[in-house]
Every structure is written in structure tokens, then in C-alpha cells.
Amino acid sequence: MEKANHSIHCTVTSCTNHCSCEDYCSLDSIQVGTHEGNPSMDQCTDCQSFVKKHG
Ligand code: SF4
């Protein structure tokens, strides 16, 4: 059974690591990074622990 990590709020329900019952991640920790050379706003950052949910 998945458990919500209440320290990691997340609404990305298409991620397999999302705790489906609540708006939290189920992982103990996540990796955040950027795809930009010089990130300047939140859209420049990425959760690199994202894994697409299938089905
Ligand atoms: S791995 Fe990242 S995108 Fe996926 S549920 Fe956790 S915080 Fe959200």
C-alpha cells in the first residue's frame, strides 16, 4: 500500500510515484533539477524522480 510523504506535496497524478489518494508523493525523497542553463522561474525546474504511470 502506498504511503503519502507529507513533506513532498505533489499534484502530478500521472506519475507512478504519486500517492493516488492524496496530493503527495509516495517516495521518501525526490531529485529536483533543471533543464535550463540559467533557470529563472519555477517552470525551469523539474522533478527528475517522475516516472510516467502506465495504464
Ligand atoms: S516523483 Fe516527483 S512528480 Fe512523481 S509524485 Fe513524486 S514529486 Fe510528484
Side-chain angles (χ1 to χ4, degrees):
M1 183 169 176
E2 286 184 342
K3 67 171 174 58
N5 182 343
H6 291 121
S7 296
I8 307 177
H9 295 253
C10 181
T11 57
V12 186
T13 53
S14 62
C15 177
T16 193
N17 295 320
H18 191 266
C19 177
S20 47
C21 51
E22 300 174 81
D23 281 345
Y24 294 104
C25 185
S26 65
L27 298 177
D28 290 336
S29 67
I30 61 167
Q31 178 69 48
V32 176
T34 182
H35 53 274
E36 301 282 351
N38 184 21
S40 57
M41 53 187 179
D42 59 346
Q43 288 92 335
C44 301
T45 66
D46 309 293
C47 176
Q48 296 177 337
S49 299
F50 172 86
V51 178
K52 185 174 174 21
K53 185 190 285 181
H54 294 282

